[in-house]
Amino acid sequence: MIAVCRLEDLPAGESVRLDTAPPVAVFNADGELFAIDDTCSHQDASLSEGWLEGCVVECPLHAASFDLRTGRPTCLPARRPVRTHQVYVEDGVIHVRLATAEEGSAA
Amino acid sequence: MRAVTVVGASLAGLYAARELRAQGFDGRLVVVGAEPHHPYDRPPLSKGFLTGDCAEPQLALSDAEEAAELDAEWILGARAHALDARGRTVVLDDGRTLASDGVVIATGAFARHLPGPALTGVHTLRTLDDARALRRALVHGPRRVVVIGGGFIGAETASSCVALGHDVTVVEAAQLPLAAQLGAEMAFVCAGLHARGGARLLTGAGVTALRGAGPTTLGGGAVTAVELSDGRLLPADVVVVGIGAAPNTGWLTGSPLALDDGVLCDDGCVTTLPQVVAVGDVARVGGDRAEHWTSATEQPRVAVRNLLARHTVETARPLPYFWSDQYGSRLQFAGRRGEGDTVRIVEGSPDALGGGGFLAVYERAGRTTAVLALDRARPFTKVRRALMAAAATDREAEREGEYMEDAARAS
Ligand SMILES: Cc1cc2nc3c(=O)[nH]c(=O)nc-3n(C[C@H](O)[C@H](O)[C@H](O)COP(=O)(O)OP(=O)(O)OC[C@H]3O[C@@H](n4cnc5c(N)ncnc54)[C@H](O)[C@@H]3O)c2cc1C
Ligand code: FES
């Protein structure tokens, strides 16, 4: 369980990066919260800095897109999914429960 | 169309093969590549691959599953030698001929060399085999490395060599490296990355000769020093020549295609023969030849569409975009900068190189023409997308204008 920030500190359309190992990106996509591994499965870019549109984030380096609900890439150049993690809000604070190595992967 | 030959089995060639299948081509698809390797990604060669952070299997651009889906015949380790007058037959250097209804030219570019005898210890960096050889030269303890050329490949290679603990000097003939790409002001800022990273940068320094000692099988011996035009001698164990690339068009001499620093194409990547298109580093599309990963991946969609339609039905003028990783920082640039554009720092500060980075926009007549970021991916993407949208609107207006002109002429 990792406390991320207060809900009001992550408005819709925003994202935040957690310095976990590996790092995790938390998104507020139009009011719905999602967490995925922050490092793009293609090469080496931080998805928390990507372009968020609906439930899809576009990588800021080579524009692969990932569905935040499943972690699956929706276009090239990424070919592998990123792990997804559980997010919930408790007492107004966003929490992430990190998936284990086997969980969270859409593969 | 029953048979298409793609010449060049790298980034643009693979994307073209993918597009052919995605756009419904179900005929015979042959991909010819001069290298023995299946398509791999070049950008990591000067970065993670040299430092050892990225292993060879991670360079692969495709896998067995996709290969099966693509259902293409791969002829690797074979070089196309000629294209016949109607662009329907590709002749390979081993004498084989491939008959096609359509040809995609994706032969990329090759690294320029310095004149003079071959010396051991002197490297260029374009292919996986080049990168393997350079990596082998860098893994045995600290060496004196001289990188000739301060362009992106030179700078990235220098940065990787520093990361491996070598003593690195970058020699640049111009007064500033990267001035053509970034403009003098921002080039000056980015040149500071070398010093910050721990490499020496010598500018305005032309290389007159490479010195070697002792005979080797190659003839010229092993490199010992780099001689500069001002008489200085830089001792070197390893020299990396990063003085740019030239398009691989040699095999097309004698074909009817127009060649001039690349294969000349219209805005839709279509050459002077409608059944032949060109994509990637080898293609000069609408007057411009880009050596960027993103153009090589974006052009094939439009090129293939026009190839299958047998004439230009769509144009491709994507907004130029490239990135570069140097000394732990990431540079990103997008747009079309012109001489005399003014530069405005909109975020961060270039004085604090690396300390959080910065975002700069280039402007002309109140309009943004280009954007440069150092470690500022998020705001960079925002401006880049705005530029893309503006370019699309301009193209729309242009088409409208042409239509009005046509209409005026017709009436
Ligand atoms: C070390 C390095 C780092 C780079 N880093 C970046 C970066 O950070 N950012 C960026 O935007 N871009 C970068 N680039 C540029 C990017 O890799 C190129 O733009 C891209 O590879 C172009 O793809 P292409 O398929 O057009 O050409 P290439 O990748 O050059 O492929 C052409 C292929 O055609 C083959 N070929 C040539 N002639 C023949 C023939 N006659 N018959 C058959 N096959 C032939 C070649 O062997 C080669 O395999 C880098 C390039 C290099 C070399
Ligand atoms: S690193 Fe994300 S698409 Fe390449």
Side-chain angles (χ1 to χ4, degrees), chain A residues 40-45 47 59-64 66 76-78, chain B residues 293:
Chain A
C40 180
S41 70
H42 174 234
Q43 265 163 25
D44 179 23
L47 292 173
C59 174
L61 192 54
H62 313 119
F66 294 88
L76 289 169
Chain B
W293 191 94

Side-chain angles (χ1 to χ4, degrees), chain A residues 17-74:
Chain A
R17 178 179 184 276
L18 304 184
D19 272 323
T20 44
V24 164
V26 185
F27 298 87
N28 182 338
D30 303 326
E32 235 186 307
L33 299 173
F34 297 99
I36 59 172
D37 273 354
D38 183 52
T39 309
C40 180
S41 70
H42 174 234
Q43 265 163 25
D44 179 23
S46 166
L47 292 173
S48 68
E49 297 194 80
W51 185 262
L52 188 58
E53 216 158 71
C55 273
V56 170
V57 65
E58 183 189 286
C59 174
L61 192 54
H62 313 119
S65 289
F66 294 88
D67 188 322
L68 296 177
R69 293 165 298 194
T70 61
R72 282 208 180 89
T74 60

Side-chain angles (χ1 to χ4, degrees), chain B residues 386-402:
Chain B
L387 282 170
M388 281 159 66
T393 322
D394 283 355
R395 266 202 309 279
E396 201 50 50
E398 220 171 89
R399 268 199 289 274
E400 199 100 311
E402 278 164 21

